[in-house]
Amino acid sequence: MNVNIARLSGRLLPAALAAALLAGCSGTTASPEAAAPSVPSASPSPTATPTGEADPALKPFYGQQLAWAACPDDPKTKKQDESALQCARLRVPLDYTAPGGETVELALARRQSAKADQRLGSLLLNPGGPGGSGVEFVQGAAELGKNGLRDRYDLVGFDPRGVGASTAVHCLDDKARDAWDTTDTRDGSRGTTLAQACAANSGKLLAHVGTRDAARDLDVLRGALGDPKLNYLGFSYGTYLGTRYAEQFPAKVGRVVLDGAVDPTLSQLDHSVQQNISFEKSLRAFAADCVQQAQCSLGKDPEKAAEKLAKFLDGLKAEPLDVPGGRKLTASAAWTGTLSMLYADKSGWEYLRNALGWAMVREKGDYLMALADDYYGRSEDGGHNNMFDAYTAIHCADPGSGAPSDAQLAAAKQQLHEQAPLISARYTDEDLFDPDCRSWPYRTTEQPGPVKAAGAAPILVVGSTGDPATPYAWAEKLATGLGNATLLTREGEGHTGYGKNECTTAAVDAFLNTGTLPAPGTRCQ
């Protein structure tokens, strides 16, 4: 579910929400000579329908009292006051097969319902990733829920296990992360190096950060909040988490919206190929739009604009641009900054045009580097949040992360050569894996496949026709596969649909507020 890390991080989160996902935490780097991580015994896959709160060993977790208190205000976020919200922590088992053993903690934040007499319960939110912070999402998304959701729900954000302020995965320190994110040189040892660093700092956690475990945490949180059913709005990777929840706890599904759907039937390699193709389409759409504007550094020929852009970005490998502070805008960083703006709809394209003009005409790389830094979770002081570390650990723990055959790899490269020639022009085998899970020792033996949610309440799936990160076909496939889902289509560019036009937003709000689904086949222009 990702695009090559050297050109674009594969984290699946709405770019419009990126500012709300900045934090400043990182781990330490294992030395290159560190021993290979010891391989723990494979975690058994949970049953399709865990017993949940009916399990006597889990009742203390479901019944725990959450100690809500004002969130600490972060002085770095001058335009928002986190203390206006409440924060708490939830305790869950590290290993659900041994609930009496060690525990981990999840960070929570909530914006309480504005009208107690209209309150329906809690609406749990996940912004994507894997690795996105739901706590910071709720704290930073001041506009969220203004169309009635704030009146009817407590808006609750949570950092899944391994993420952010929860018991978190840490792999690389800030200096190592800077080099890792911007390098134009990769080889087959890259995956092993990262696995060693993660194992050295977070080895005990790595076997228990998969999405199935996170879905079980979600049910514990539902119980601790006192909600009989789960009401949930998940974006991008958050749709995969919601899908796994519906599979394991169908009787507990309330009003669930999955926006920017991930296809659970695809392997890591297939996800990568399909995303690359989708991003190529969006890149060409941006270039074609650019040449129609008054100022565009790509010229006036729509047939050559995208090729000119790709040639410039690739050329930075040989001649990177200087960036204040002694840094360099590499080809990798420039591709990341460019493609990250395709997560937004056309409203973000003007900023990208200006950033490209600044680099291509004035030979200044600071604006493109700022876009890459924002996407990588790098703050102005050089600190990084742990999104990338968590992304690697969670993604590699989920189904589909195994090594493909030589024939599958050859077929993938041929497909990219034909359908995404600009983005994949200089790909090596390693470039097809983001992250490279082939040497990760904590993988599940479970294979990707269709997910059913038999007996669950109706689910609303939202797909956007020009979505580069989660192609529209994934939403179609998920809605069909679940068997009890309605597909809402937004026609337009950008990742995810909620908040991008009135039609889509109103349909989602109507479902969450009243339970009314849009008519089958509804398309928002």
Side-chain angles (χ1 to χ4, degrees), residues 197-377:
C198 294
N201 293 296
S202 302
K204 187 180 297 184
L205 184 60
L206 299 180
H208 304 286
V209 293
T211 302
R212 282 195 179 278
D213 280 333
R216 299 191 71 169
D217 294 343
L218 198 54
D219 197 56
V220 173
L221 176 55
R222 174 201 59 75
L225 290 168
D227 294 321
K229 298 288 182 73
L230 176 76
N231 301 310
Y232 177 80
L233 174 56
F235 300 95
S236 200
Y237 163 78
T239 69
Y240 185 66
L241 175 57
T243 296
R244 288 301 183 192
Y245 181 89
E247 177 191 32
Q248 295 184 104
F249 301 98
K252 298 298 183 181
V253 170
R255 297 173 185 173
V256 169
V257 179
L258 308 177
D259 184 2
V262 172
D263 181 358
T265 70
L266 298 178
S267 68
Q268 178 190 13
L269 181 62
D270 289 335
H271 272 285
S272 179
V273 169
Q274 293 186 22
Q275 259 197 342
N276 273 284
I277 293 170
S278 192
F279 266 101
E280 177 108 358
K281 291 178 181 177
S282 293
L283 183 72
R284 291 182 182 274
F286 162 76
D289 179 82
C290 181
V291 301
Q292 299 177 31
Q293 308 305 319
Q295 294 192 13
C296 175
S297 55
L298 306 181
K300 292 298 181 182
D301 187 344
E303 298 297 324
K304 297 180 180 179
E307 287 78 0
K308 182 177 180 179
L309 173 55
K311 183 178 180 180
F312 167 74
L313 297 176
D314 282 337
L316 294 174
K317 182 174 182 179
E319 298 182 16
L321 295 179
D322 291 331
V323 175
R327 303 171 71 202
K328 297 284 186 181
L329 179 70
T330 60
S332 172
W335 270 106
T336 297
T338 298
L339 296 183
S340 70
M341 288 306 293
L342 300 182
Y343 276 71
D345 57 18
K346 287 187 177 181
S347 64
W349 287 6
E350 180 180 3
Y351 189 94
L352 178 56
R353 287 197 306 273
N354 293 336
L356 287 170
W358 195 248
M360 297 176 72
V361 178
R362 301 199 181 193
E363 298 186 345
K364 295 184 178 181
D366 44 334
Y367 286 141
L368 279 179
M369 182 64 87
L371 291 176
D373 285 346
D374 184 56
Y375 196 79
Y376 286 135

Side-chain angles (χ1 to χ4, degrees), residues 120 123 149 152-153 231-233 255-257 498 507-516:
L120 295 174
L123 178 65
L149 295 185
R152 313 214 71 184
Y153 291 100
N231 301 310
Y232 177 80
L233 174 56
R255 297 173 185 173
V256 169
V257 179
Y498 186 72
V508 171
D509 287 342
F511 175 61
L512 291 173
N513 284 325
T514 69
T516 303

